[in-house]
Amino acid sequence: DGGITQSPKYLFRKEGQNVTLSCEQNLNHDAMYWYRQDPGQGLRLIYYSQIVNDFQKGDIAEGYSVSREKKESFPLTVTSAQKNPTAFYLCASSIADRGEQYFGPGTRLTVT
Amino acid sequence: AQSVTQPDIHITVSEGASLELRCNYSYGATPYLFWYVQSPGQGLQLLLKYFSGDTLVQGIKGFEAEFKRSQSSFNLRKPSVHWSDAAEYFCAVGEIGGSQGNLIFGKGTKLSVKP
């Protein structure tokens, strides 16, 4: 089945540690996205990538980093510089020139 | 600036009753519009989309939405709600022909269903 996988589903880290969230898709989509979701806030765009080896900052990129070395993969690193990293993180992908995005199941990150 | 407003944070309806969730957008270009649904702790699932043509679009799970350009609205409707429809619903807007493919999401409307 084609789709987007995110792992792990739950992730716990100590404050000050970097952590990397995985996102893989087998839909052959060119574009991939990372969103952060907090209660009552909707979805906020962190980073997006339209093509391999290229990515752009979204609205809340500070404290996050990404890479896009393969079309299928778009990992997100939450660095220690992110002041409030505890949140639900969603990865999505789309055909580059179409608007509909398809979402993974999400990773809930808790930093204590 | 582009924006999407979902005026209702939380709505409760009785099972079998009709449903309408409101969505208003502010967008300079020709928009394309989406409704997504999210169950607790899950990702978002696309319910329906509007790109062009007929302003009444049908989606999955018996949902439909109507695009009204004059009112900048894209309200989601269902004639008879089922208990399994309890979830959070997000409206999103993007730009037709836009180079980035980015979507702007509303803050969501949580739907509760009474038995």
Side-chain angles (χ1 to χ4, degrees), chain A residues 6 19-21 23 30-37 43-51 53-68 73-79 81-82 88-94 101-103, chain B residues 100-103 105:
Chain A
Q6 292 185 244
V19 59
T20 297
L21 282 60
C23 177
D30 289 309
M32 297 187 74
Y33 310 83
W34 274 106
Y35 293 92
R36 172 181 171 137
Q37 187 177 28
L43 276 70
R44 293 184 288 169
L45 183 65
I46 304 172
Y47 268 99
Y48 63 98
S49 168
Q50 297 288 318
I51 195 169
N53 292 323
D54 189 41
F55 48 82
Q56 286 76 41
K57 293 181 180 180
D59 300 320
I60 56 165
E62 184 175 351
Y64 300 97
S65 66
V66 294
S67 63
R68 186 89 186 276
S73 179
F74 191 41
L76 173 75
T77 297
V78 184
T79 75
Q82 169 50 234
F88 190 54
Y89 291 88
L90 287 160
C91 179
S93 71
S94 70
Q101 294 181 11
Y102 296 88
F103 285 81
Chain B
Q100 298 176 349
N102 292 349
L103 300 182
F105 287 84

Side-chain angles (χ1 to χ4, degrees), chain B residues 20-24 35 64-66 73-77:
Chain B
E20 182 169 28
L21 301 182
R22 296 183 290 164
C23 173
N24 294 97
W35 275 99
E64 67 178 27
E66 186 171 12
S73 69
F74 189 57
N75 294 348
L76 182 71
R77 301 194 295 247

